[in-house]
């Protein structure tokens, strides 16, 4: 069995790519530089469309944005329908939409637990399920989802148990979907970042917080959105067609196993 090659013109859909200093927006720019057409799904439709417009203008690729809460399956499906109608063949999905949850376990409410699992785990399922339906009929596809070092080390960063549980779920989900869809030409992988310099951990990080977060790792710094963008670019590339079910740790050596 040989691998199905990528089409001449290909699209990647990224969820959670509208926040100005986030990993998603930086990744969308990086992938557009590499020639990918870009679809963006984020909570705020206007923000998603603004990032898409900025990408199309700066990189000369096709780009479109749609609004959806990833925890709402009907909204997710409608957003994919709109993006697929506007853009070339969907080849890759990158699941970046996510929320932090610094609530200690003994204080976590039923609502907070449900919110975090709904967005960080069920959201990955809803988007993946819709995207792979198209990929299976095309015979080729790539899915990458963002987990976290906190899933592997049991927290120890900003977020606590609800987040760790959801992000650990992403790793199990990734392995299982990889196994089920390998024969359909689809690879499914996760990236597990250590602390990255974005605003998700309760606002912009001070130099002091960055130094404290870096202290645990092997490399003397925290990560940048570009560190993650480069890993995404590899895992969704045509060349990564023999890599599936993996979790790539991009964490400065925080977690080794
Ligand atoms: N920054 C880190 O240190 C770090 C570490 C490990 C994992 N991650 C993961 O990387 C991903 C990106 O995080 P980031 O640091 O860029 O954060 P960010 O807050 O900058 O970006 C998160 C994005 O997700 C969107 N979003 C949130 N809830 C949504 C929903 N219900 N539906 C649709 N979109 C929604 C937000 O609008 C935002 O654009 C997240 O999944 C996060 O858990 C981040």
């Amino acid at each position: 069995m040989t691998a199905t090659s990528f089409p001449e013109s290909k699209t990647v859909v990224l969820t959670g790519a509208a926040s100005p200093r986030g990993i998603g927006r930086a990744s969308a720019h990086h992938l557009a530089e590499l020639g990918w057409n870009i679809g963006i799904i984020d909570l705020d439709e206007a923000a998603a469309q603004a990032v898409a417009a900025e990408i199309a203008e700066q990189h000369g690729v096709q780009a479109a944005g749609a609004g959806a809460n990833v925890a709402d399956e009907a909204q997710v499906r409608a957003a994919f329908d709109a993006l697929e109608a506007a853009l070339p063949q969907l080849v890759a999905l990158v699941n970046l939409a996510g929320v932090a949850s610094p609530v200690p376990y003994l204080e976590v409410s039923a609502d907070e637990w449900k919110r975090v699992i709904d967005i960080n785990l069920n959201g990955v399922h809803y988007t993946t399920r819709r995207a792979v339906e198209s990929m299976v009929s095309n015979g080729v596809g790539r899915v990458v989802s963002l987990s976290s070092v906190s899933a592997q080390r049991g927290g120890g960063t900003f977020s606590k148990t609800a987040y760790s549980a959801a992000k650990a779920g992403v790793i199990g989900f990734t392995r299982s979907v990889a196994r089920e869809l390998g024969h359909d030409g689809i690879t499914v992988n996760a990236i597990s970042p250590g602390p990255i310099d974005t605003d998700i951990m309760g606002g912009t990080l001070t130099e002091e917080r960055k130094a404290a977060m870096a202290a645990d790792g092997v490399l003397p710094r925290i990560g940048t959105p570009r560190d993650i963008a480069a890993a995404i670019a590899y895992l969704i590339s045509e060349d990564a067609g023999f890599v599936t079910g993996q979790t790539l740790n991009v964490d400065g050596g925080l977690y080794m196993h």
Side-chain angles (χ1 to χ4, degrees), residues 6-14 31 35-40 61-64 80 83-94 131 135 138 140-142 236:
F6 280 11
E8 185 75 22
S9 189
K10 58 196 190 294
T11 295
V12 54
V13 168
L14 303 101
L31 298 173
W36 286 88
N37 301 292
I38 306 289
I40 289 174
V61 297
Q62 293 182 62
F80 268 90
L83 294 179
E84 280 200 298
L87 295 167
Q89 182 179 322
L90 175 68
V91 171
L93 165 68
V94 186
M135 293 172 187
N138 295 330
V140 67
R142 301 271 185 269
I236 68 167

Side-chain angles (χ1 to χ4, degrees), residues 51 71 74-75 149 195 199 248 257:
V51 173
Q75 287 184 25
V149 71
D199 297 335
L248 178 55
H257 66 112

Side-chain angles (χ1 to χ4, degrees), residues 16 156 167 218 222 240:
K167 292 297 188 181
V218 170
I222 65 164

Side-chain angles (χ1 to χ4, degrees), residues 10-29:
K10 58 196 190 294
T11 295
V12 54
V13 168
L14 303 101
T15 69
S19 91
R21 292 187 66 251
I23 297 167
R25 177 161 167 258
S27 300
H29 275 280

Side-chain angles (χ1 to χ4, degrees), residues 220-237:
R221 65 173 178 89
I222 65 164
T224 64
R226 176 64 178 232
D227 291 324
I228 308 302
I232 292 170
Y234 169 63
L235 288 173
I236 68 167
S237 70

